Amino acid sequence: MRLGIDVGATAIKSGLVDDRYNVTGKRSRPTDARDAAAFLSDLADIGRSYRGSAKITSVGIGLPGQVDPHKGTLVDSTNLALADVPVADTLSRELGVPAFVGNDANCAMFGEVYAGEGVTTPNLIMVTVGTGIGGGIRINGKIYRGRNESAGEFGHMCVNFSGVTCRCGATGCWEAYASVTALIRQTRDAAGQYPQSLLARLIEEGGGAVDGRTAFIAAKAGCPVAEQVVETYAGYLAVGIDNLLIIFRPDKVVLAGAVMNEGDFLVSRIKEKIRFPDQLCISKLHSHAGIIGAAVLGEVYRDHKQFV
Amino acid sequence: MRLGIDVGATAIKSGLVDDRYNVTGKRSRPTDARDAAAFLSDLADIGRSYRGSAKITSVGIGLPGQVDPHKGTLVDSTNLALADVPVADTLSRELGVPAFVGNDANCAMFGEVYAGEGVTTPNLIMVTVGTGIGGGIRINGKIYRGRNESAGEFGHMCVNFSGVTCRCGATGCWEAYASVTALIRQTRDAAGQYPQSLLARLIEEGGGAVDGRTAFIAAKAGCPVAEQVVETYAGYLAVGIDNLLIIFRPDKVVLAGAVMNEGDFLVSRIKEKIRFPDQLCISKLHSHAGIIGAAVLGEVYRDHKQFV
C-alpha cells in the first residue's frame, strides 16, 4: 500500500492507496503550520498512525507551494508561510520507505491521470478550486508543465482587468473571484448586506463562522440571498472555465476541490454559462484526487522524467 | 517553388517560397469578397500572375475562416461573408499543381514552426493580431489543435467580464480590446474626443481614413493623445499575453500580424506590463509568416496527419 498525504492550507488529508487506486483508512486533521517543527511533527505523526494497519511501500506528500522533488523539500509556500522544509526526509526516516513530494495542484492532476478521467482522456484540463485555483494540463496523453514546471496557474489568469486586486498583486485574477476564499468573502458580504436573511441568521447561529459550504446550505434551505451568492459564484467559475475551453478545446475540463462536493447544484449552473457544457465534469475521485496523486508520485517521477 | 497565398479580410498577399523558406515575388491586392465568383476570379488571377516567373510545384491558400482541408473549401468565413467556396479546385485547375487550404491563424503558426521561432522552440504560443486575434499552440514540438481542430481561439478569451460585448456575442473578449479593429475604434474615439489634437488633424487631412498605423504615426510625431492610445492599446495586448504566459509558461509567445511592424515602439510597452517579458518576441517572418505557412500546407498535412 502507498500512503498519500494531501496537505492543504486548512486540512491535511491522508489515506492508503492500493494497486487499483482504492483509498482506505482516510484521515483528516487541521493543518498546523505555526512553524516547520510543528508541521513536520504532525506529518511524522500521521505517518506513524498508519504503520500498524498495512505494509507501506512508499509515501507521497502533496504540498501547497513550490517543491523541490530532488531534495524532497517544500521550497516555499505562501499559503503555509513556510520555506525550505525537509518533508520527504522526515517521512522517509519515520516509515523507512521512499518518500516523494509534489505540488498539490499537480498531485490532483496525477490522481486524475492515473485513476480518474485521465485514463481515457488524452486532452484534459484539471481545475482545482480551494484556497486558490490550481490547474493541470494534459496534452496528447502527456502531462504538460511548461517552463520551470509551472504552467497551469489558472487562478492568476486575468478575467476582469478593471476589477479587484488579487493577493498576488495583479488585477482581476480568476481566483480573486472564484476560489473558495473568494466565495467565503462573497458569502460574508451578502450576509452583511441582508442581515434579516436566512443566510445571515444561519451564520449568526453558527457563531459567525463561514466556510465554503455556508452559502450552499442556506440556498438549499430556500434563502434567496444565498441563492444569489451561489448563482454569482457559479458565474465567476464559468468565466475562467469558458476561457480554458476556448483556449484548449480539450476533451474534458475536470473540476476538483471540496466545493465540487456540491455536485450538480453548482455544476449545472456553471454549465448554463459556458460554451461547451458537455466537456465539463467533476472529478470522480472527489476529494481523493489529491491523496491518490500524492500516493502515485513515485510512479509519476519514474514515468515522466520531466518532473524530477 | 511553392506559391503561398495569404487571404486577409482587407488584403490578399502572395509570394513564392523556396526550399529555404525565402519569399520572392511578393504581391498584395485588396480583398474583393463581394461574392464567391469575384473572390475565386481574383485568386485565379493571382495564381496566373506567377505562372511565367517560376516552376510552381504546389499552391497553398490561408483563409480567414473555417476550412475543409479534404474538400479544399472555405466552409464559412464571418470576415469575408462567404461560405462553401471551392478554393483549392480553382487554383489547382488554374496552375495544374496540387492545392491546399488552411485556416489563416494556423498558417501563421505553420510558417513560424517551419521557418521561424518554432524551429528551435518546442513550446510556443503564436498570437496573430489583425481584424481579430488568432492563435496557435505548439507543445513538446507538436502543433496542438484540440477538439474539432479549434484550440487557440485566444481572441475570445474573456479578459473583462464586466466589459464590452464582442461581435461573437460574449462579454469582454480579448479581441474586442486588442485586435486592430479595436485599435481603429480606439483611435477614432480619441480623435473625436480631442478634435484639436495632432491625431485628429492627421485623420482629417487623410480624408477621415483610420487604419492600424494611424495612432502610431501620430504618436511618433509627438501627439500626446495618440501616445495615450498606443499606451492603452499595449496594455490591452499585455493582459491577454500575460494570461497565455501564466497558463502555458511557454518557451516563447510569438506575436505576428501587420501591427507588429511597429516593432519595439509597441512591444517594449507590452513587455513593461507582463510577468515574463523575456519570453515575448515578434515573429522574425513578419508579414511573411502567413505566406510561408500557406506555401508549406502540403508538408504540414503530410507531417501532421491530424490536420487532414
Side-chain angles (χ1 to χ4, degrees):
Chain A
M1 300 283 257
R2 294 156 292 186
L3 174 58
I5 303 179
D6 178 19
V7 179
T10 52
I12 304 180
K13 291 169 199 156
S14 55
L16 295 167
V17 178
D18 70 17
D19 289 345
R20 302 183 63 181
Y21 305 107
N22 295 309
V23 178
T24 53
K26 202 182 154 190
R27 285 167 208 170
S28 180
R29 64 193 284 167
T31 307
D32 174 3
R34 267 171 303 168
D35 53 42
F39 180 62
L40 286 175
S41 161
D42 274 9
L43 287 178
D45 196 38
I46 290 167
R48 248 192 320 272
S49 74
Y50 284 96
R51 256 194 326 209
S53 56
K55 183 171 161 38
I56 294 169
T57 52
S58 72
V59 53
I61 310 100
L63 295 159
Q66 202 193 329
V67 299
D68 183 329
H70 290 284
K71 294 186 185 164
T73 56
L74 173 64
V75 176
D76 191 48
S77 170
T78 313
N79 285 333
L80 298 182
L82 292 176
D84 292 315
V85 188
V87 171
D89 274 0
T90 302
L91 277 152
S92 182
R93 206 179 315 117
E94 190 63 42
L95 293 170
V97 296
F100 307 93
V101 298
N103 169 272
D104 61 345
N106 284 358
C107 284
M109 178 76 178
F110 300 150
E112 210 56 44
V113 165
Y114 280 74
E117 292 293 341
V119 174
T120 53
T121 311
N123 298 319
L124 180 151
I125 299 299
M126 182 91 190
V127 176
T128 304
V129 181
T131 307
I133 296 182
I137 301 167
R138 188 185 199 213
I139 296 281
N140 294 331
K142 290 193 173 172
I143 293 165
Y144 168 75
R145 289 300 300 159
R147 219 175 160 80
N148 299 330
E149 310 289 328
S150 52
E153 286 279 356
F154 302 146
H156 297 286
M157 133 174 90
C158 172
V159 294
N160 193 20
F161 64 63
S162 50
V164 302
T165 303
C166 181
R167 58 190 176 141
C168 78
T171 303
C173 293
W174 188 27
E175 71 174 43
Y177 295 93
S179 64
V180 173
T181 314
L183 169 61
I184 291 171
R185 196 185 59 237
Q186 291 150 19
T187 304
R188 277 196 199 287
D189 287 354
Q193 216 179 331
Y194 298 96
Q196 301 307 317
S197 64
L198 176 59
L199 178 67
R201 281 184 282 128
L202 272 176
I203 294 171
E204 209 185 318
E205 283 164 22
V210 175
D211 66 20
R213 288 164 304 174
T214 309
F216 290 96
I217 292 167
K220 285 169 186 170
C223 173
V225 170
E227 167 69 29
Q228 189 54 53
V229 171
V230 169
E231 186 65 21
T232 303
Y233 178 66
Y236 291 144
L237 278 168
V239 170
I241 292 166
D242 209 36
N243 278 359
L244 296 172
L245 285 164
I246 286 288
I247 290 169
F248 288 99
R249 294 303 313 272
D251 301 313
K252 273 180 190 154
V253 168
V254 182
L255 301 175
V259 72
M260 295 308 155
N261 291 335
E262 301 298 339
D264 236 29
F265 192 78
L266 173 59
V267 175
S268 65
R269 293 164 201 261
I270 301 172
K271 287 193 175 184
E272 280 168 16
K273 300 167 181 37
I274 59 177
R275 276 169 268 197
F276 307 102
D278 293 349
Q279 264 71 66
L280 185 67
C281 66
I282 297 182
S283 171
K284 285 179 208 151
L285 307 174
H286 296 285
S287 52
H288 289 175
I291 293 173
I292 295 172
V296 301
L297 278 173
E299 283 171 69
V300 171
Y301 291 158
R302 192 192 61 216
D303 296 351
H304 298 269
K305 293 275 182 274
Q306 77 265 32
F307 289 105
V308 280
Chain B
M1 299 283 255
R2 293 156 293 186
L3 175 57
I5 304 179
D6 177 19
V7 178
T10 52
I12 303 179
K13 293 169 196 156
S14 54
L16 295 166
V17 178
D18 69 16
D19 289 344
R20 302 182 62 184
Y21 305 106
N22 295 308
V23 178
T24 53
K26 202 184 153 188
R27 284 166 208 170
S28 180
R29 66 192 284 166
T31 306
D32 175 2
R34 267 171 303 167
D35 53 42
F39 181 62
L40 286 175
S41 161
D42 274 10
L43 287 178
D45 197 38
I46 290 167
R48 249 192 319 272
S49 74
Y50 284 97
R51 258 194 324 211
S53 55
K55 183 171 160 39
I56 293 169
T57 53
S58 72
V59 54
I61 309 100
L63 295 159
Q66 201 193 330
V67 299
D68 183 329
H70 290 283
K71 295 187 184 164
T73 56
L74 173 63
V75 176
D76 190 48
S77 169
T78 313
N79 286 332
L80 299 182
L82 291 176
D84 292 314
V85 189
V87 171
D89 274 0
T90 302
L91 278 152
S92 182
R93 206 181 311 119
E94 191 63 43
L95 294 169
V97 296
F100 307 92
V101 297
N103 168 272
D104 61 346
N106 284 358
C107 284
M109 178 76 180
F110 300 149
E112 210 57 43
V113 165
Y114 279 75
E117 293 292 340
V119 174
T120 54
T121 310
N123 297 320
L124 180 150
I125 300 300
M126 183 92 190
V127 176
T128 304
V129 181
T131 308
I133 297 182
I137 301 167
R138 189 186 201 216
I139 297 280
N140 294 330
K142 290 194 173 172
I143 294 165
Y144 168 74
R145 291 296 301 156
R147 217 175 161 81
N148 298 331
E149 310 289 326
S150 52
E153 287 280 356
F154 302 147
H156 297 287
M157 131 175 92
C158 172
V159 294
N160 194 20
F161 64 63
S162 50
V164 302
T165 303
C166 179
R167 59 189 176 142
C168 79
T171 302
C173 291
W174 188 27
E175 71 174 43
Y177 295 92
S179 65
V180 173
T181 314
L183 170 61
I184 291 171
R185 194 186 61 237
Q186 291 150 20
T187 304
R188 278 196 198 286
D189 287 352
Q193 213 179 336
Y194 298 97
Q196 302 305 317
S197 64
L198 176 57
L199 178 67
R201 282 184 282 127
L202 272 176
I203 293 171
E204 207 184 320
E205 282 165 23
V210 175
D211 65 20
R213 288 165 304 174
T214 309
F216 290 96
I217 293 166
K220 285 170 186 168
C223 172
V225 170
E227 167 70 28
Q228 190 54 52
V229 171
V230 169
E231 186 67 18
T232 303
Y233 178 67
Y236 291 143
L237 278 168
V239 170
I241 291 166
D242 210 35
N243 277 0
L244 296 172
L245 284 164
I246 287 287
I247 290 169
F248 289 99
R249 293 304 311 275
D251 301 314
K252 271 179 190 156
V253 168
V254 182
L255 301 175
V259 72
M260 296 307 155
N261 291 336
E262 301 297 338
D264 235 29
F265 192 77
L266 173 59
V267 175
S268 65
R269 294 165 201 261
I270 301 172
K271 287 191 175 184
E272 281 169 16
K273 300 167 182 43
I274 59 177
R275 276 169 269 198
F276 306 102
D278 293 350
Q279 264 72 65
L280 185 68
C281 67
I282 296 181
S283 171
K284 285 178 206 152
L285 307 174
H286 296 286
S287 52
H288 288 176
I291 294 172
I292 295 171
V296 300
L297 278 174
E299 283 171 70
V300 171
Y301 292 156
R302 192 192 60 217
D303 296 351
H304 299 268
K305 294 275 182 273
Q306 76 265 32
F307 289 107
V308 282

